[in-house]
């Protein structure tokens, strides 16, 4: 299958209008489309079409027991698919359109495979203008996981989608670099307070302030199981990733690897640490800066691209500097530690 790439950065351009029209036709016809959102790129299919949904799992190599998020163009469309609770109303009012996914009781309109047989369904109204334009062109809800091969870092550029999906999908809409760089926050919104299933840009601290409480799934005070997807190995580069806290630890580990006769490691560092290590003679090309230590949003924005870059450079050993797991740093560290684990 030939994969077409279509630039939709300017939504009013002729290329964008043609691409969006084509996306609508492909989606209505049961095909797959790669598209940008404010979090990461998604791989969309008509949520009502069981065969189209099956082809998402096939294209990604995704386990069938990992449910998909259904993307909608309006609150009204979401209400038709799931049973809104007062809590869901409050969260949607505050955060939609935006990077929050709500898990609610399904009304049973989409095939069971979308939610991997669960009685719940995850829904999200994205804020990215290109995503909204595509959802409107499709004229129906779109089931979409992140547009990476299962296990690889989520795509934050159209070129990442092409890397993983070339020949597997007919169309990728190129909206440029995504804004956030980590997948949406997922909460179970069926009860009195949200239960955090996956950390993201909308933080646990923020949800706690708005709703009084926001336990994470799997915590002692929370009986609900974590989001099925959280148990899989994710985001992993091909090389071995070691996490350290400071530039001193990075430097020490680098020396140790060199003494063991291992190939030069690639360093993923804060801007500040990158400066320190360059002063100490580490060549610039062995370092990728993820952003300032004080700005976790920069780490969020750059992490997945850096993990992919490590693969492009065939880095067999990677030393990554962590940041405090506070606020958005918690979402960064959730992805980073998974990338470092061999599970
Ligand atoms: O930002 C995002 O959410 C991106 C963009 C494309 O919207 N999508 C995304 O989808 O990250 P995916 O499939 O890579 O991750 C969906 C997550 C998984 O961890 C999955 O287990 C969880 O949401 N999930 C989906 N439906 C669920 C349900 N009914 N109950 C609990 N967790 C669910
Ligand atoms: Mg994913």
């Amino acid at each position: 299958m030939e994969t077409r790439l279509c630039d939709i950065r300017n939504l009013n351009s002729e290329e964008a209008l043609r691409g969006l029209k084509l996306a609508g036709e492909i989606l209505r016809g049961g095909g797959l489309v790669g598209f940008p959102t404010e979090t990461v790129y998604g791989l969309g299919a008509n949520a009502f079409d069981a065969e189209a949904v099956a082809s998402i799992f096939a294209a990604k190599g995704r386990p069938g027991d990992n449910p998909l998020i259904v993307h909608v163009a309006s609150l009204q469309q979401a209400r038709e698919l799931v049973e809104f609770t007062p809590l869901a109303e409050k969260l949607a009012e505050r955060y939609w359109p935006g990077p929050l996914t709500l898990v609610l009781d399904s009304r049973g309109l989409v095939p069971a495979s979308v939610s991997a047989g669960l009685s719940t369904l995850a829904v999200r109204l994205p804020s990215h203008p290109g995503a909204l334009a595509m959802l409107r062109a499709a004229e129906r809800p779109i089931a979409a996981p992140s547009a990476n091969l299962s296990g690889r870092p989520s795509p934050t550029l159209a070129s990442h989608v092409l890397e993983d999906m070339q020949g597997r999908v007919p169309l990728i809409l190129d909206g440029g670099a995504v804004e956030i760089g980590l997948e949406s926050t997922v909460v179970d919104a069926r009860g009195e307070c949200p239960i955090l299933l996956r950390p993201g840009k909308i933080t646990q601290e923020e949800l706690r302030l708005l709703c009084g409480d926001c336990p994470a799934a799997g915590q002692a005070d929370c009986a609900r199981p974590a989001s099925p997807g959280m148990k899989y190995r994710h985001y992993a580069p091909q090389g071995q990733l070691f996490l350290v806290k400071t530039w001193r630890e990075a430097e020490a580990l680098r020396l140790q690897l060199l003494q063991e006769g291992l190939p030069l490691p690639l360093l993923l560092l804060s801007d500040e640490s990158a400066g320190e290590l360059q002063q100490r003679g580490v060549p610039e090309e062995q370092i990728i800066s993820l952003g300032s230590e004080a700005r976790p949003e920069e780490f969020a924005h750059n992490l997945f691209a850096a993990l992919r870059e490590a693969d492009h450079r065939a880095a067999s050993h990677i030393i990554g500097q962590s940041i405090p797991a506070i606020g958005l740093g918690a979402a960064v560290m959730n992805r980073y530690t998974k990338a470092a684990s061999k599970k």
Side-chain angles (χ1 to χ4, degrees), residues 1-328:
M1 178 189 298
E2 196 201 330
T3 301
R4 282 174 69 174
L5 198 61
C6 185
D7 187 344
I8 61 160
R9 278 173 296 178
N10 174 1
L11 281 179
N12 295 318
S13 70
E14 248 177 58
E15 183 175 354
L17 293 173
R18 245 185 292 123
L20 289 164
K21 184 161 171 280
L22 180 60
E25 287 162 9
I26 291 172
L27 290 166
R28 284 193 299 279
L32 303 182
V33 176
F35 67 101
T37 82
E38 68 278 23
T39 55
V40 299
Y41 274 77
L43 183 65
N46 176 0
F48 292 137
D49 181 339
E51 266 181 51
V53 168
S55 66
I56 292 182
F57 286 90
K60 281 184 60 96
R62 181 176 175 110
D65 65 349
N66 191 3
L68 306 177
I69 297 170
V70 175
H71 295 65
V72 293
S74 67
L75 190 54
Q76 180 53 33
Q77 214 174 32
R79 285 209 179 92
E80 286 165 17
L81 298 175
V82 289
E83 292 185 24
F84 264 64
T85 58
L87 174 65
E89 295 287 351
K90 182 171 170 173
L91 291 168
E93 158 126 13
R94 173 72 183 76
Y95 293 113
W96 278 7
L100 181 71
T101 294
L102 301 176
V103 171
L104 292 163
D105 281 321
S106 173
R107 293 191 191 276
L109 295 180
V110 300
S113 54
V114 173
S115 55
L118 299 172
S119 61
T120 54
L121 187 67
V123 288
R124 164 161 128 78
L125 175 53
S127 64
H128 191 289
L132 288 171
M134 188 204 73
L135 290 168
R136 283 193 287 264
E139 299 168 350
R140 62 212 65 204
I142 296 299
S146 49
N148 51 285
L149 288 174
S150 214
R152 298 212 69 206
S154 295
T156 56
L157 290 170
S159 61
H160 298 160
V161 183
L162 195 63
E163 203 171 276
D164 285 12
M165 291 298 153
Q166 186 150 36
R168 295 169 186 252
V169 304
L171 178 66
I172 297 167
L173 300 175
D174 181 355
V178 300
E179 180 197 329
I180 297 170
L182 298 180
E183 308 85 347
S184 63
T185 305
V186 181
V187 297
D188 182 335
R190 288 176 293 168
E192 300 280 304
C193 67
I195 296 168
L196 185 68
L197 302 180
R198 180 174 72 183
K201 165 85 177 160
I202 294 166
T203 64
Q204 188 175 20
E205 291 89 335
E206 212 178 323
L207 290 166
R208 242 183 230 135
L209 276 181
L210 181 73
C211 304
D213 197 7
C214 179
Q219 279 180 358
D221 55 349
C222 175
R224 298 245 169 81
S227 175
M230 301 299 280
K231 69 174 186 268
Y232 292 107
R233 181 164 188 243
H234 268 108
Y235 321 115
Q238 268 132 37
Q240 195 173 356
L241 171 63
F242 305 91
L243 291 184
V244 296
K245 289 208 172 75
T246 62
W247 65 261
R248 282 180 200 283
E249 282 178 52
E251 188 182 42
L253 180 55
R254 181 174 181 277
L255 285 176
Q256 188 191 322
L257 293 176
L258 292 183
Q259 274 160 13
E260 286 172 22
L262 293 164
L264 289 171
L266 179 66
L267 306 178
L268 311 184
L269 301 174
S270 67
D271 295 345
E272 294 84 352
S273 298
E276 291 285 351
L277 286 191
Q278 272 180 50
Q279 273 183 22
R280 283 166 176 73
V282 179
E284 199 182 329
E285 63 273 13
Q286 289 167 21
I287 300 176
I288 296 178
S289 291
L290 293 179
S292 169
E293 273 159 35
R295 287 193 286 276
E297 63 275 17
E298 295 182 358
F299 270 65
H301 188 265
N302 296 326
L303 179 64
F304 287 151
L307 294 175
R308 279 183 184 259
E309 180 58 24
D311 285 350
H312 295 157
R313 297 191 194 181
S316 61
H317 294 80
I318 305 152
I319 300 175
Q321 184 181 2
S322 54
I323 51 172
I326 299 163
L328 181 54

